[in-house]
Amino acid sequence: MGVQCQDVQQVKSAADAATVTPRAELQGATFAYQEGQPIFRDFSWQITPGDAWAVIGPSGCGKSTLLYLLTGLRQPQSGNVRVDGKPVERPRPSSTTGLILQDYGLLPWATVWDNVRLGLQLRGVPKAQQAEQVANWLERLGITALRDHYPAQLSGGQRQRTAIARTLVFQPNLLLMDEPFNSLDALTRERLQNVVLELILEHGLTTVLVTHNIEEAVFLGQRVLVLNQPPSAATTIFENRHDDPHAYRAAPAFLTQCTELRTLLVGSEA
Ligand SMILES: Nc1ncnc2c1ncn2[C@@H]1O[C@H](COP(=O)(O)OP(=O)(O)OP(=O)(O)O)[C@@H](O)[C@H]1O
Ligand SMILES: [Mg+2]
C-alpha cells in the first residue's frame, strides 16, 4: 500500500504499456462546452483492464463530463478518447460500456421488471434468458418485491437500484458510475458498494466510480483520480491498492487512507 501523487499520468510500468491495451484512455484531450472555458486541457488518463477507479473532486470540476467523454456522449475538441484501443466517435452501446447516470434515466411508463428487461429484449436475448438475468439482478440489488412498481411509485434509492440493475444486466466490460449511491441509506449504500466490489473481484470488471464521498472513493477505488477546478490538465492520482478488499472497510489502513485522501483534497483546493 502507500500513497503516491503523480503530476503526470503514469502507466503502471513500461512493460504493461507494451502488452496491455488500455480498457479506456484519454490522450491529450481538450474539451469545452460551446464557447466556455475548457473543462479538460490536453488531459491524458489511462484505465487498464481490471482497474477500479474512483474519481473525486468539487462540484462542477468535470467528473460527469469525463464519463460522457468515455462513453462518446461528448467529443473532445482535440485529442483522442479510446476504448479497447478504438476511437470513441459515437455513443458506445450499453452492452459494452455501462453508464449509471446521476439522474437514473428510467422509463416512466415501464415497471421495474421491464425497465431492467427491455434493453435485453432490444438486443434479441431469448425470453427465458431475459427473465433469468432480470430476476438475478433484482435479487442481488434487493428490489425483487418491487418488480411490478413503476418509477413514480419508488423512492429515490429504489429508483437508483433499478437503474443499477438495468445497467448490470448487460454485463458490460467497462462500468461507469456517476454518484450511483447518493440517495441510499447508509446500510443499503454499503451493501451495494459490496455488490460492486464483488463485480470487480469476481468478474474483473473495470470500473470508474464518480463520488463526492471520501470513504466510498477509498473503499471502491484502488486508484483515485483527484480533479480540481477546471481546466484539468495534469492528473493527480492517489494509489490505494490493498491486499484484502473484503476486510478493508474495518481495517486501520482504511481510515489512514481516508485521512490521506482528505488531506490531498483539501491541499489541492488551497
Ligand atoms: N451541457 C452543458 N453546457 C454548458 N456547460 C455545462 C454543461 N454541462 C456541464 N456544464 C458545465 O461544465 C462544468 C463541469 O460539469 P460536470 O457536470 O462535469 O461537473 P461535475 O464535476 O460532475 O459536478 P457535480 O459534482 O456537481 O455533479 C460545470 O461548470 C458545468 O456548469
Ligand atoms: Mg456530476
Side-chain angles (χ1 to χ4, degrees):
M1 199 186 320
V3 182
Q4 197 186 343
C5 282
Q6 301 159 306
D7 289 332
V8 186
Q9 167 64 35
Q10 300 275 314
V11 178
K12 275 182 226 152
S13 70
D16 276 357
T19 53
V20 178
T21 304
R23 172 88 340 124
E25 62 183 330
L26 278 77
Q27 288 175 327
T30 296
F31 174 82
Y33 286 101
Q34 289 121 17
E35 301 305 310
Q37 286 294 310
I39 311 290
F40 295 99
R41 182 181 286 147
D42 195 17
F43 184 83
S44 297
W45 181 41
Q46 214 169 51
I47 301 168
T48 302
D51 270 354
W53 281 91
V55 179
I56 199 164
S59 183
C61 70
K63 302 180 295 297
S64 296
T65 305
L66 187 59
L67 298 191
Y68 300 155
L69 290 167
L70 287 170
T71 50
L73 291 169
R74 295 281 178 180
Q75 305 285 334
Q77 278 84 16
S78 61
N80 295 301
V81 180
R82 291 172 180 272
V83 173
D84 289 329
K86 298 192 194 81
V88 177
E89 283 158 353
R90 60 183 66 84
R92 305 241 329 140
S94 46
S95 52
T96 49
T97 299
L99 176 64
I100 299 174
L101 288 171
Q102 253 172 318
D103 62 1
Y104 322 137
L106 296 177
L107 303 169
W109 44 265
T111 61
V112 165
W113 180 272
D114 277 341
N115 259 288
V116 180
R117 184 188 62 84
L118 281 170
L120 294 176
Q121 182 182 330
L122 284 175
R123 291 186 57 77
V125 172
K127 270 196 172 156
Q129 213 175 316
Q130 288 176 26
E132 187 188 327
Q133 289 177 14
V134 174
N136 170 39
W137 283 107
L138 296 194
E139 179 65 30
R140 280 185 89 170
L141 294 168
I143 48 175
T144 303
L146 302 170
R147 53 171 285 165
D148 297 324
H149 286 55
Y150 290 87
Q153 301 170 307
L154 302 173
S155 72
Q158 291 164 344
R159 269 181 233 164
Q160 210 156 18
R161 280 185 274 169
T162 307
I164 294 170
R166 194 183 55 169
T167 304
L168 293 182
V169 78
F170 284 116
Q171 300 178 291
N173 68 8
L174 175 61
L175 178 62
L176 310 175
M177 296 167 279
D178 199 349
E179 304 188 34
F181 309 131
N182 264 8
S183 51
L184 302 174
D185 64 87
L187 287 180
T188 307
R189 188 176 183 126
E190 281 192 11
R191 201 173 135 230
L192 293 194
Q193 287 170 347
N194 289 338
V195 169
V196 171
L197 182 65
E198 275 169 35
L199 292 169
I200 295 167
L201 297 177
E202 290 169 21
H203 302 281
L205 184 63
T206 310
T207 53
V208 178
L209 170 86
V210 166
T211 179
H212 279 118
N213 184 294
I214 290 173
E215 286 76 18
E216 184 165 280
V218 171
F219 184 61
L220 287 176
Q222 290 162 5
R223 310 181 86 193
V224 183
L225 176 66
V226 181
L227 294 179
N228 210 321
Q229 294 300 341
S232 285
T235 53
T236 300
I237 297 170
F238 177 85
E239 292 288 352
N240 180 41
R241 294 185 190 279
H242 41 270
D243 296 331
D244 188 357
H246 287 296
Y248 192 44
R249 209 193 288 275
F254 176 71
L255 199 56
T256 313
Q257 290 293 79
C258 289
T259 307
E260 298 267 12
L261 179 57
R262 186 170 287 108
T263 306
L264 179 59
L265 278 167
V266 172
S268 72
E269 272 181 355

